Amino acid sequence: MSVEIGNSAVIFGCEGLVLSNEEAAFFAKVKPFGFILFARNIDTPEQVKKLTSDLRAAVGYDAPVLIDQEGGRVARMRPPHWRAWWPALDEVVKSSDPERSMYLRSRILSDELRAVGIDCNCAPVLDLVRPETHGVIANRCYSEAPEVAAKIGRQVAQGHLDGGVLPVAKHMPGHGRASVDSHKDLPRTDASQETLRKHDFAPFVALNDLPIAMSAHVVYEAFDDGPATTSKRMIGLIRDEIGFGGLLLSDDLSMEALSGTPATRATACVAAGIDVVLHCNGNLAEMIEVAAASGEMSAETNARARAAIAARYAPDGADIEAMIAEHRRLVPEVSDG
């Protein structure tokens, strides 16, 4: 039996804690592939559950609802209603068994997400931390070593999948050499092709079977002079060399690493080979432009989207309280204060 999905190659945010009538009407017309929530959309568990339900009701199908809930600094859901976590790199350092603790963390997080109707989390972060890595990325990484990042990333992804939440690998093909914040400027790296292939790209190759990934707004000068998100050369490399066959999302179009209007940014992403563009700021006027520029999914993108949705299965019924206790034995507990 075919599962209904949105046919527009977009994922949108919304403005506030409740879905407005104007937003609902727009989403019903456009039929986006999915939605993404930010801190501005989060208050209480009851409120978030109603919002995710209303988003799906507006479009009439079980659209994926995404969030960036890595734990640490990047956490849209916070105490007192949800658990606090160390930044990922801090946990890896503090844990007596990093692979196991990061699996447990992801499985526990997934339980919290599913409880409020969120079924897709933008993790694992497979970027490699380096001395020059900007602070916006650095402590979200797992390691400087490709093999370690890949092993921990695999556990993070599996913890999500076991909890019924789709993982989104980011930021493909690697954001660790960025020394500026891509929310504000366009990062560039002059690392050689050999270095990038051996190090930065390696964790993404190891996890190229994941259902969804997000691109990096980074210029890899050894390959192209444009950011990967809008570069046919880099998207081709992601497909052919990294071997990623899943659904490829852009990073947020609202970030200032990209130039031009939201519509021209969306057009450039789709032309480069991005499957679905991500527009996060909840600005309805911009969303109208982006939807028109992005258009409907191609047949190939539609097939990838359906394959990604098919990987979203029911939680495994794990004993969450036992997992919380085990995690506390492995990692010093973070205060909720």
Side-chain angles (χ1 to χ4, degrees):
M1 180 177 178
S2 179
V3 176
E4 185 177 0
I5 66 170
N7 59 4
S8 289
V10 289
I11 291 170
F12 283 134
C14 59
E15 186 175 18
L17 298 175
V18 299
L19 186 64
S20 72
N21 291 336
E22 293 80 7
E23 288 171 331
F26 170 69
F27 294 147
K29 177 182 178 181
V30 171
K31 303 290 188 184
F33 172 69
F35 303 99
I36 186 165
L37 302 186
F38 281 78
R40 67 177 184 271
N41 309 121
I42 307 294
D43 185 14
T44 66
E46 295 76 19
Q47 171 267 324
V48 178
K49 189 171 184 179
K50 184 177 189 309
L51 179 57
T52 57
S53 177
D54 288 348
L55 287 166
R56 292 185 171 110
V59 294
Y61 48 87
D62 190 17
V65 178
L66 291 73
I67 197 167
D68 289 286
Q69 188 71 4
E70 298 170 14
R73 181 170 50 80
V74 179
R76 316 308 183 193
M77 297 161 53
R78 293 181 174 273
H81 298 295
W82 297 281
R83 290 176 182 82
W85 304 92
W86 294 108
L89 188 60
D90 290 357
E91 173 156 334
V92 169
V93 170
K94 294 173 185 292
S95 176
S96 58
D97 186 345
E99 289 183 46
R100 178 61 179 169
S101 72
M102 290 296 286
Y103 170 85
L104 292 168
R105 166 187 174 129
S106 300
R107 180 63 187 84
I108 295 162
L109 273 172
S110 296
D111 199 61
E112 293 186 330
L113 298 179
R114 287 281 301 210
V116 294
I118 297 169
D119 59 4
C120 193
N121 193 16
C122 297
V125 179
L126 299 179
D127 310 314
L128 301 180
V129 66
R130 296 180 48 79
E132 71 267 29
T133 305
H134 191 276
V136 75
I137 291 288
N139 67 0
R140 300 161 59 190
C141 304
Y142 307 144
S143 178
E144 63 183 353
E147 62 276 10
V148 175
K151 287 179 181 178
I152 293 174
R154 176 65 68 184
Q155 293 304 311
V156 169
Q158 194 61 51
H160 284 88
L161 289 167
D162 288 349
V165 172
L166 289 173
V168 179
K170 60 187 186 185
H171 304 82
M172 193 174 281
H175 208 299
R177 292 180 191 273
S179 58
V180 300
D181 181 356
S182 55
H183 294 86
K184 301 176 181 178
D185 293 291
L186 177 60
R188 310 180 71 94
T189 176
D190 61 359
S192 70
Q193 292 190 13
E194 180 182 3
T195 296
L196 290 167
R197 288 184 171 111
K198 184 177 180 180
H199 295 279
D200 304 62
F201 300 171
F204 295 97
V205 173
L207 275 75
N208 65 11
D209 58 326
L210 293 185
I212 311 177
M214 180 186 294
S215 67
H217 294 335
V218 176
V219 175
Y220 305 87
E221 293 177 348
F223 292 96
D224 196 356
D225 197 44
T229 303
T230 58
S231 165
K232 286 185 179 180
R233 174 78 187 276
M234 294 309 300
I235 302 303
L237 181 148
I238 286 169
R239 295 301 189 192
D240 299 332
E241 288 195 35
I242 290 176
F244 179 68
L247 190 71
L248 185 61
L249 314 182
S250 74
D251 204 343
D252 182 13
L253 293 185
S254 305
M255 296 164 65
E256 293 308 311
L258 302 182
S259 60
T261 67
T264 58
R265 296 176 187 191
T267 299
C269 289
V270 173
I274 290 288
D275 288 318
V276 175
V277 299
L278 186 62
H279 182 274
C280 298
N281 68 18
N283 182 306
L284 183 56
E286 288 187 8
M287 289 192 282
I288 292 170
E289 295 178 10
V290 168
S294 303
E296 294 189 355
M297 292 182 181
S298 67
E300 189 174 18
T301 291
N302 187 280
R304 289 180 182 134
R306 290 182 181 279
I309 293 297
R312 180 183 62 179
Y313 50 81
D316 60 6
D319 184 338
I320 298 299
E321 290 305 315
M323 287 187 160
I324 292 169
E326 182 183 356
H327 187 270
R328 285 173 177 165
R329 292 193 295 270
L330 296 176
V331 187
E333 189 172 358
V334 178
S335 169
D336 286 348

